[in-house]
Each structure stands twice: as C-alpha cells, then as structure tokens.
Amino acid sequence: MGFDYNLDYKSLNFRDNPWDYKVGKGEQGVLLVEPYKSELLPYWKFRTPKEAAVSARKIFLLFKKYKSDEDFIGMDMARKFLQMGFTRSRRYANHRSGKKYEGERLLPRDEDPEKAKSAKIFFKFWKRVENDSRYRQMKSQWQEWFG
C-alpha cells in the first residue's frame, strides 16, 4: 500500500495516531507528516557542502534519537529527509537552475560541483540509515502491520 494522500494532514499528528502512517515509496509525504516535518525541516539544508554536512549530521542525530525512542515514523521521516537532501542536491548538481525540463524537453546539464559534494554527503548518511539493522527490522514490521 502506498502513501495515503487523502488524509487531513493539517490536523493529523502522527505521534498521536501512528497507525495512519504509511511508508510509501521514496520521499512520499516528507513535507506532510507532523510533528516530524516540523522537527526535521529546520535542519534540512544543502546549498553548500558545509551546510549539507551540518544538516545531514543533525538529521542523522535525530534519527538516532527516534531510534532510541523506538519511534519508527521519526526514523523513517529522518530517512526521507536525508534521501530528499540527496535527490535535491543531485538535481541542482546536474541543473544549476533546478529545472530539469522545459516543457517536455530535457534541458542540457549545467554541472555544479558544490551541489555534487552536498549530494555525496547526504547519500552517505541516507545509506547509513537504510542499512541500519533496527531500522530495517522496524520498517519491515511496520509495512506488514500498517502498509
């Protein structure tokens, strides 16, 4: 079952209603799921490699806190923010404007090596989360129970 976009995210608190959370694919719901979005978003930055390093470390520390609290949704949301840090950095690494298409036409690459460094930083932390044995165990169990 994919991420459910039909819920009332403006009033839903997933810490109080965890059973409504669906993992979905990739970064689905990353900017909807509260209170996690508000806890993680202020730290999500990728403009420079230095900002990306501070951001990825802070989000990873929050992942570890969620893990120690046995809070799977927090763990998964931290994973999504790290993944989004990678994908957005890569987008700007490949296209300085952030635009990949103009209409239906694929724009030529306009490489930004600084954003590529930011992407590598987020990638490293994202994979650490995805390969964390407790995260993998909890994710599998969550998907079995709730989707």
Side-chain angles (χ1 to χ4, degrees):
M1 178 183 257
F3 190 81
D4 186 355
Y5 286 99
N6 295 314
L7 299 175
D8 179 12
Y9 289 96
K10 290 182 176 150
S11 65
L12 189 56
N13 179 318
F14 282 89
R15 199 165 272 132
D16 296 337
N17 302 285
W19 48 86
D20 288 330
Y21 181 75
K22 306 291 185 259
V23 173
K25 292 181 181 178
E27 303 158 23
Q28 286 183 322
V30 71
L31 297 176
L32 295 173
V33 177
E34 290 288 6
Y36 304 97
K37 177 190 99 170
S38 293
E39 294 169 1
L40 294 158
L41 186 59
Y43 303 107
W44 185 71
K45 301 188 181 344
F46 61 91
R47 192 174 51 124
T48 66
K50 183 177 180 181
E51 284 181 340
V54 170
S55 175
R57 279 190 204 101
K58 178 60 179 175
I59 293 169
F60 185 72
L61 287 174
L62 287 167
F63 166 81
K64 288 170 58 173
K65 181 194 177 306
Y66 295 134
K67 180 179 169 182
S68 72
D69 293 343
E70 293 285 306
D71 182 346
F72 170 71
I73 299 171
M75 293 168 67
D76 196 49
M77 288 296 293
R79 187 261 316 156
K80 289 181 181 196
F81 269 92
L82 292 168
Q83 183 175 356
M84 187 169 66
F86 167 71
T87 59
R88 295 313 179 275
S89 295
R90 278 302 331 153
R91 166 72 61 89
Y92 284 91
N94 295 339
H95 304 277
R96 287 178 195 264
S97 71
K99 289 179 62 178
K100 185 175 180 179
Y101 293 97
E102 188 173 280
E104 293 184 21
R105 184 176 68 88
L106 180 63
L107 294 171
R109 283 188 176 213
D110 179 19
E111 303 277 333
D112 181 340
E114 291 298 296
K115 293 294 187 299
K117 291 176 187 174
S118 293
K120 284 181 184 180
I121 292 164
F122 274 104
F123 186 82
K124 179 179 79 169
F125 282 96
W126 169 34
K127 291 305 170 181
R128 282 179 71 184
V129 167
E130 280 199 333
N131 291 318
D132 182 278
S133 62
R134 183 67 181 135
Y135 169 77
R136 291 164 53 135
Q137 177 189 28
M138 289 178 79
K139 181 179 178 183
S140 176
Q141 189 175 46
W142 191 273
Q143 288 176 308
E144 183 181 320
W145 291 346
F146 302 110

